[in-house]
Amino acid sequence: DVYKRQAKYTALNAEVGVGSLTVENMQFGALVSSVKVGNTCLKRTSADSVKLVAATGNLAWEDGSRVLKSLSMHTEVGNIQLAWATGDGFRLAYQIGTGKLKNQFEGAVTEQTGSQHASSKGTLTSGDESRAIELSASTGDISLTSFSTQE
């Protein structure tokens, strides 16, 4: 049995043609995922840097997942869901072809160009802005929510 629950792995590079990828309760230096058709979901996972790409499919970063340096999520057709810890500062750049931004992150400062429903881009910042986040969806919505790390 090679499963090491508390170990931090150097990297994960996953490519999926058709299907879904779920990563749960893992730690990585770098995490890269490319899915042609299917969904990608990370739960309770941490990494230094993350890049998630889907041609057709949804991308989700949720359930207490955390990143130390940078997070990039891009989908051609699909939605992006990002749950972010309230205490982790960030500078988020987003771009949406057709769709809308749903920002439920309390305290994030928003700068937006374009309409709320079609071809918009902008930035959101919170705290010390120490983590870089890039999100883009050619066709789809981007949802941003927050969670508390305090009990």
Side-chain angles (χ1 to χ4, degrees), residues 24-78:
E24 191 168 350
N25 289 323
M26 302 285 294
Q27 294 181 16
F28 300 98
L31 191 155
V32 177
S33 164
S34 176
V35 177
K36 290 185 181 177
V37 178
N39 300 322
T40 302
C41 181
L42 280 79
K43 299 178 180 185
R44 295 176 299 283
T45 295
S46 65
D48 295 338
S49 62
V50 178
K51 181 176 182 180
L52 307 176
V53 177
T56 302
N58 299 323
L59 302 174
W61 181 263
E62 58 186 36
D63 287 350
S65 293
R66 299 181 84 172
V67 68
L68 295 178
K69 296 178 183 172
S70 63
L71 171 64
S72 173
M73 300 170 74
H74 304 282
T75 182
E76 287 297 314
V77 179

Side-chain angles (χ1 to χ4, degrees), residues 6-141:
Q6 299 301 322
K8 180 175 181 178
Y9 298 95
T10 304
L12 171 67
N13 188 352
E15 292 187 30
V16 178
V18 177
S20 295
L21 174 66
T22 300
V23 178
E24 191 168 350
N25 289 323
M26 302 285 294
Q27 294 181 16
F28 300 98
L31 191 155
V32 177
S33 164
S34 176
V35 177
K36 290 185 181 177
V37 178
N39 300 322
T40 302
C41 181
L42 280 79
K43 299 178 180 185
R44 295 176 299 283
T45 295
S46 65
D48 295 338
S49 62
V50 178
K51 181 176 182 180
L52 307 176
V53 177
T56 302
N58 299 323
L59 302 174
W61 181 263
E62 58 186 36
D63 287 350
S65 293
R66 299 181 84 172
V67 68
L68 295 178
K69 296 178 183 172
S70 63
L71 171 64
S72 173
M73 300 170 74
H74 304 282
T75 182
E76 287 297 314
V77 179
N79 299 317
I80 296 174
Q81 179 182 348
L82 174 62
W84 196 259
T86 54
D88 293 351
F90 63 85
R91 178 166 187 80
L92 183 152
Y94 72 91
Q95 185 164 351
I96 302 169
T98 303
K100 58 186 172 180
L101 174 70
K102 300 173 185 176
N103 178 17
Q104 297 175 346
F105 192 92
E106 293 183 26
V109 178
T110 307
E111 297 175 23
Q112 180 177 331
T113 58
S115 75
Q116 182 68 4
H117 298 285
S119 189
S120 67
K121 64 180 179 177
T123 59
L124 287 88
T125 57
S126 179
D128 62 10
E129 301 181 30
S130 61
R131 293 156 190 89
I133 304 172
E134 293 181 3
L135 308 177
S136 69
S138 295
T139 302
D141 297 336

